[in-house]
Amino acid sequence: MDTAQKLSSLIQLQTVSAPAADAAQQKLHDAAFAAFDTALAQLFPRLHEVCEVSHDTAAQLPLQLLWRGADAELAPVVLMAHYDVVPAPSSDADPEPFSGAIRDGFVHGRGALDDKGPLVVLLEAAEQLAAAGFQPPRDILFALGSDEEVQGITAKNLATAWRETGQVPYLVIDEGGAVVDQPLPGLPVPAAMIGVGEKGIATFKLRLRGKGGHASAPTTPSTLGRMARAVTRLEKQHFPARAPHTLMQMLRLFAAQAPRQQRHLLQALTTHPKVTAAALATRGGESAALVRTTVAVTGFQAGVADNVIAPSAEVTVNCRIAPGSSVAATARYLKRVVADPQITITTVYGEEPTELASTASPQWQLVAETVAKVWPGTLAAPYIMLANTDSRHWHRFTPAVYRFAPLQMSVAQRESIHGVGEKVAVSALQEGVAFWKLLLRALPGAQSALSEHIDNAQK
């Protein structure tokens, strides 16, 4: 069975982590999760033979495959992926989202890109190396999560356990960026986008209690009108825009490779961070999200009957917090913008922006050099992820945490993630396997670590 066929079989297991619409559907999802461990053992038998496999669901830990290296004294490598997926209702455009069909050079179905495709190329590379008798120079832990899509805790529990025992990985890689041909709108520069950090995330509740009353005798402002005014203020008065160092570094890399017309513009932007921030903010969408904390209104609950003035209203707001800010600062800003003492704002959940991994480290160099070998002429570009991954829990104590799914993805493919028509090219899977085989073979051993230590001391 080749890599595409393995992915196809795993897509057909409907490992949906969100609650199902009915008991029958939930039973199907539960059975898929229960079958996944067995399926992996059947698809990657040699890797399972050489690894210590554990899946302590009672302790709420991810599925772990520990591949012992030649030198147990060296800091290990943690390679992450997740196999849970978001729901994928059938539609005219995508009648069988869990078919795993292989046609027209693509593997189709939910999870092809997020994140079963990246998981499969990682394990397939290790399977091939294990079958060839390869032993890594240091321990490698494959940590495979089952609850990433629901902000679960298995990855957090694992990172916490490592931190409490004082273990610090040499390198952590999780899903994130990909190999793209247009990293920014209108910029045709082939790039491997490698996440070096993540924005923070926070959910807030806005609550307002009014008098209510009969709809035949309304007064203004009503509870709903007052809350609607608050929402309008939040959507119009954006957080301040700022161009972080990582963004400017990314633009400088692109400027060196961009076509002449875009090159001059990028070069100008790289020398004026305030202008860059303002320009991207005015574009809205993902461009604006690169330079500021964002606010998304995701829920609005109010009203008890058609002829009753709503006595209360509640709004849910999700914020993605830019580096340099915090959950507390975001809450304060929301209160200033809403400017209504009768509306209470409470923090339901919050995680701070992560630290940023270095692009001057040997670990970054390892990833960048491997990219250059598999995709010649492709830039390894750092960026800050707008969304969140399981790897965020390792930043507090691990310097080298990167996010990269070694798959080529077009703009349309990236837009299909969590949407309709998710698919991955068979050729992209082959390149992904090649990437991981090269990277795993290039992991530094004891002699490399000693040479690195001497070089650093001499500097």
Side-chain angles (χ1 to χ4, degrees), residues 47 67 77 79 121-127 129-130 134-140 142 171 173 366 370 433-444:
L47 180 61
W67 194 359
V77 171
L79 303 177
V121 297
L122 170 62
L123 297 189
E124 178 63 19
E127 173 76 9
L129 290 175
F134 172 77
Q135 182 185 21
R138 58 181 74 216
D139 290 355
I140 298 174
F142 302 96
L171 171 66
I173 301 180
L366 170 65
T370 308
V433 172
F435 171 87
W436 282 119
K437 287 176 72 173
L438 286 171
L439 188 139
L440 294 179
R441 285 189 178 277
L443 285 173

Side-chain angles (χ1 to χ4, degrees), residues 138-454:
R138 58 181 74 216
D139 290 355
I140 298 174
L141 177 67
F142 302 96
L144 312 178
S146 60
D147 56 0
E148 191 272 349
E149 298 290 3
V150 290
Q151 299 282 330
I153 64 170
T154 58
K156 183 177 182 179
N157 288 345
L158 179 62
T160 300
W162 276 56
R163 187 181 187 185
E164 290 175 348
T165 59
Q167 288 183 286
V168 178
Y170 173 76
L171 171 66
V172 175
I173 301 180
D174 194 8
E175 63 167 336
V179 181
V180 302
D181 55 8
Q182 188 172 301
L184 291 174
L187 182 63
V189 175
M193 303 302 296
I194 303 170
V196 295
E198 298 179 14
K199 297 178 79 173
I201 181 173
T203 297
F204 300 94
K205 290 285 188 182
L206 281 62
R207 294 184 175 93
L208 174 64
R209 295 198 65 83
K211 294 181 179 179
H214 200 285
S216 63
T219 59
T220 57
S222 66
T223 302
L224 286 179
R226 196 163 190 156
M227 186 63 86
R229 182 179 63 187
V231 169
T232 300
R233 288 173 175 171
L234 289 176
E235 291 190 339
K236 285 187 174 181
Q237 298 182 41
H238 300 297
F239 277 74
R242 184 179 66 86
H245 169 76
T246 300
L247 174 63
M248 302 305 289
Q249 181 183 3
M250 180 184 76
L251 293 178
R252 283 193 290 271
L253 285 170
F254 292 159
Q257 297 293 328
R260 180 176 299 177
Q261 183 176 358
Q262 288 97 339
R263 186 185 311 153
H264 296 316
L265 174 60
L266 288 171
Q267 288 172 339
L269 290 176
T270 58
T271 58
H272 298 89
K274 291 184 179 179
V275 174
T276 300
L280 291 174
T282 57
R283 295 184 66 93
E286 286 191 359
S287 297
L290 291 171
V291 294
R292 69 179 177 218
T293 295
T294 57
V295 179
V297 178
T298 57
F300 202 137
Q301 293 82 39
V304 293
D306 291 348
N307 61 345
V308 176
I309 296 173
S312 63
E314 180 179 286
V315 165
T316 304
V317 171
N318 183 265
C319 294
R320 301 304 170 105
I321 304 169
S325 187
S326 66
V327 175
T330 301
R332 290 194 296 269
Y333 190 86
L334 294 179
K335 291 177 182 178
R336 287 202 302 272
V337 171
V338 168
D340 190 328
Q342 294 191 30
I343 295 178
T344 62
I345 301 178
T346 57
T347 304
V348 178
Y349 167 83
E351 288 196 34
E352 306 294 352
T354 69
E355 298 294 325
L356 302 182
S358 172
T359 57
S361 68
Q363 292 93 326
W364 170 270
Q365 193 66 26
L366 170 65
V367 177
E369 289 176 355
T370 308
V371 165
K373 291 175 182 176
V374 180
W375 299 280
T378 297
L379 293 172
Y383 81 111
I384 299 171
M385 278 197 67
L386 308 182
N388 296 110
T389 70
D390 280 339
S391 64
R392 69 188 184 279
H393 303 297
W394 297 82
H395 267 281
R396 296 188 185 113
F397 65 103
T398 303
V401 182
Y402 301 105
R403 297 152 187 81
F404 179 56
L407 298 174
Q408 290 208 48
M409 299 186 197
S410 66
V411 173
Q413 283 176 290
R414 299 200 302 275
E415 291 175 347
S416 74
I417 295 174
H418 288 201
V420 176
E422 189 174 350
K423 63 182 180 180
V424 62
V426 174
S427 60
L429 295 175
Q430 295 167 346
E431 291 170 346
V433 172
F435 171 87
W436 282 119
K437 287 176 72 173
L438 286 171
L439 188 139
L440 294 179
R441 285 189 178 277
L443 285 173
Q447 189 59 43
S448 299
L450 176 61
S451 299
E452 179 186 316
H453 175 76
I454 294 172

